Amino acid sequence: MNHYSIDTNCVQGTYRPKNGEPRVLPICQSTTYKYTSAEELGDLFDLKVDGHMYTRISNPTVDAVEKKINLLEGGVGAMCTSSGQAATLLAVLNIASVGDNIVSLSAIYGGTLNLFTVRLKQFGIEVRFANPAETDAQLDALFDERTRLVFGETIANPALDVLDIERFARIAHAHGVPLIVDNTFATPILCRPFTFGADIVTHSTTKYMDGHATVVGGVIVDSGHFDWKAAGKYPELSKPDESYHGVVYTDAFKEAAYITKARVQLMRDLGSTPQPLTAFLLNLGLETLALRMERHCSNALTIAGRLAQNPNVEWVNYPGLADSPFYALSKKYLPQGQSGVISVGVKGGRNAAVKFLNSLELVSIVVHVADARSCALHPASTTHRQLTDEQLLAAGIGPELVRISVGIENVEDIWADIQQALEKAGR
Ligand SMILES: *Cc1c(COP(=O)(O)O)cnc(C)c1O
């Protein structure tokens, strides 16, 4: 940690050029790195010394971005991945394998839900869903000796439930397992899960971190707080790795054992590597992250408040509104703002929701959230269109639901567009 505040670190981060070096983070578009002796390269392979050998494992441009995100989250190490999906997958596979199970909050991103319930099942990993409305005793019953981790999202996409991080960290730790938090919607600007007891943080950097809808990417950050050895159930970290000539990660890399293993073992074998050019673009997004989050949050709070007063609106879901069931949790975990994402029920059901969407002019219809440009999506006719109205209701996604991602344009322009579209939808 340095002594600068988080918004300064967004801009200047950890890349500090020396005399005569490029002011802007250079793009090292090279797959490989030159050494003068076979012995030097051998030491790299033995993990005896630090250095780059092949871009599937590490690259100077990617490394600078990883160090910046690690600084923003306050961890001991970070690893970028080719997508948010890859970050979630590797974060789990690093400590769970066939025969194990994981506990996940039930309100999570649809892509993660599919990964957990369909793909991980094929890998022999079972997922058990936790409903936060249940008591601690009920949640305790989900765990057994093969449980490896607890997973949740700071602000769930698209339900917008706010995670009680301290509670779930306490429950996970009581069972000797880490809490992994997907911090995509909050970003470290609004919430730093490590300060509330989370052990590992993941992100889809595709969303606010990039913020301009240019590059797909993900990242895993390790707090270094979880004691894998003491937990006694992570032999992949505390016993010799035969695929890496017997290295014991907890001995060789101490508190950075988890993130080192993820890189030298999983990234080596699975290869979901980010590219230097995409890391460069992600870094441009990170430079303005603090500034953008401030505007996303203030715009969204204004829009949510006005939506709640609008006669063509049935309901509004935004954790920053005082009548939200997550208002108290958002005061605790997201005191500076609750992101730019709102869900709204348009009066008149499916037809009115579609008419509302089709009447928007400034706000665009896209399959995306967390973009600088305001955008909207009707899940019932797009991402969830295979479901019947009954199934949609069971999934908590009514046919009237529209998800609005409030951008950083002038709030009066955004509101004027939403208002005129609601008027048309109500006719
Ligand atoms: C989008 C998203 C993901 C998946 O990220 P990709 O970069 O699209 O692979 C994971 N978690 C959350 C919360 C997301 O919003």
Side-chain angles (χ1 to χ4, degrees):
M1 287 299 285
N2 59 32
H3 63 279
Y4 297 116
S5 60
I6 195 163
D7 38 357
T8 301
N9 282 328
C10 280
V11 185
Q12 298 227 11
T14 49
Y15 173 68
R16 290 286 148 73
K18 296 192 217 40
N19 204 26
E21 289 182 352
R23 182 63 197 92
V24 175
L25 174 67
I27 306 168
C28 295
Q29 197 66 52
S30 179
T31 61
T32 193
Y33 308 87
K34 178 188 174 287
Y35 289 90
T36 48
S37 74
E39 289 76 16
E40 278 177 279
L41 205 49
D43 283 348
L44 274 174
F45 270 93
D46 279 349
L47 306 177
K48 282 188 195 145
V49 292
D50 271 346
H52 305 289
M53 55 174 153
Y54 189 54
T55 287
R56 178 164 12 94
I57 317 294
S58 69
N59 167 279
T61 309
V62 177
D63 181 60
V65 178
E66 290 170 340
K67 289 202 164 94
K68 180 185 273 190
I69 295 173
N70 182 55
L71 180 65
L72 300 182
E73 287 286 8
V76 294
M79 181 178 79
C80 284
T81 57
S82 54
S83 68
Q85 285 299 104
T88 311
L89 176 65
L90 297 194
V92 171
L93 288 189
N94 206 28
I95 46 173
S97 53
V98 59
D100 292 336
N101 64 74
I102 68 172
V103 170
S104 172
L105 273 288
S106 42
I108 51 171
Y109 172 64
T112 307
L113 193 67
N114 216 50
L115 169 66
F116 284 179
T117 56
V118 183
R119 217 54 54 202
L120 286 188
K121 194 174 170 190
Q122 288 184 333
F123 294 177
I125 299 168
E126 181 203 345
V127 57
R128 301 173 175 183
F129 286 107
N131 176 353
E134 289 178 339
T135 64
D136 284 11
Q138 284 172 313
L139 294 171
D140 283 339
L142 294 168
F143 292 78
D144 63 24
E145 73 287 354
R146 296 301 299 265
T147 306
R148 287 293 177 267
L149 61 94
V150 176
F151 181 93
E153 297 176 5
T154 313
I155 306 175
N157 176 11
L160 307 183
D161 293 10
V162 178
L163 180 66
D164 190 343
I165 300 172
E166 278 182 355
R167 180 183 180 216
F168 280 89
R170 177 166 37 76
I171 293 171
H173 295 161
H175 291 276
V177 304
L179 173 65
I180 302 183
V181 172
D182 181 334
N183 200 31
T184 299
F185 272 19
T187 81
I189 303 304
L190 304 181
C191 178
R192 300 167 86 217
F194 294 157
T195 63
F196 297 106
D199 302 285
I200 307 293
V201 156
T202 61
H203 285 273
S204 165
T205 60
T206 318
K207 313 294 164 55
Y208 286 118
M209 282 193 171
D210 167 26
H212 300 76
T214 59
V215 286
V216 173
V219 70
I220 306 173
V221 192
D222 184 353
S223 71
H225 294 158
F226 194 81
D227 191 337
W228 306 100
K229 213 167 193 170
K233 47 160 82 174
Y234 299 95
E236 59 272 67
L237 284 156
S238 61
K239 296 265 155 54
D241 176 3
E242 295 314 330
S243 87
Y244 224 114
H245 29 76
V247 67
V248 177
Y249 296 103
T250 47
D251 291 344
F253 303 101
K254 308 283 186 254
E255 72 275 13
Y258 173 94
I259 200 70
T260 306
K261 174 180 174 291
R263 181 185 302 281
V264 302
Q265 189 194 69
L266 292 187
M267 194 56 96
R268 177 196 64 182
D269 295 350
L270 302 177
S272 31
T273 311
Q275 296 304 309
L277 180 60
T278 64
F280 171 83
L281 291 169
L282 170 57
N283 185 55
L284 289 185
L286 287 170
E287 290 184 2
T288 58
L289 180 65
L291 203 56
R292 286 185 288 107
M293 290 316 289
E294 206 178 300
R295 178 68 90 93
H296 279 296
C297 292
S298 69
N299 277 2
L301 188 60
T302 302
I303 300 286
R306 291 185 189 175
L307 282 169
Q309 305 293 320
N310 189 283
N312 297 314
V313 164
E314 205 170 291
W315 53 262
V316 182
N317 179 13
Y318 185 68
L321 291 181
D323 64 355
S324 159
F326 296 100
Y327 186 66
L329 287 175
S330 75
K331 282 281 153 222
K332 175 170 180 178
Y333 294 107
L334 306 155
Q336 297 169 84
Q338 302 78 33
S339 94
V341 188
I342 302 171
S343 56
V344 56
V346 181
K347 220 174 247 175
R350 180 186 291 263
N351 288 344
V354 169
K355 203 163 170 196
F356 166 67
L357 220 71
N358 292 349
S359 306
L360 290 166
E361 288 163 19
L362 182 71
V363 179
S364 52
I365 307 175
V366 294
V367 183
H368 194 46
V369 276
D371 186 1
R373 288 148 290 223
S374 292
C375 54
L377 183 75
H378 181 229
S381 60
T382 54
T383 50
H384 295 71
R385 68 176 292 125
Q386 72 279 12
L387 305 186
T388 64
D389 279 11
E390 291 71 40
Q391 288 172 317
L392 280 171
L393 283 176
I397 300 162
E400 77 285 6
L401 185 152
V402 173
R403 186 183 67 186
I404 302 175
S405 172
V406 179
I408 59 172
E409 304 93 338
N410 184 290
V411 70
E412 298 305 334
D413 289 335
I414 303 170
W415 175 245
D417 191 38
I418 290 175
Q419 197 181 27
Q420 64 82 23
L422 280 172
E423 236 162 71
K424 286 180 184 145
R427 269 185 216 145

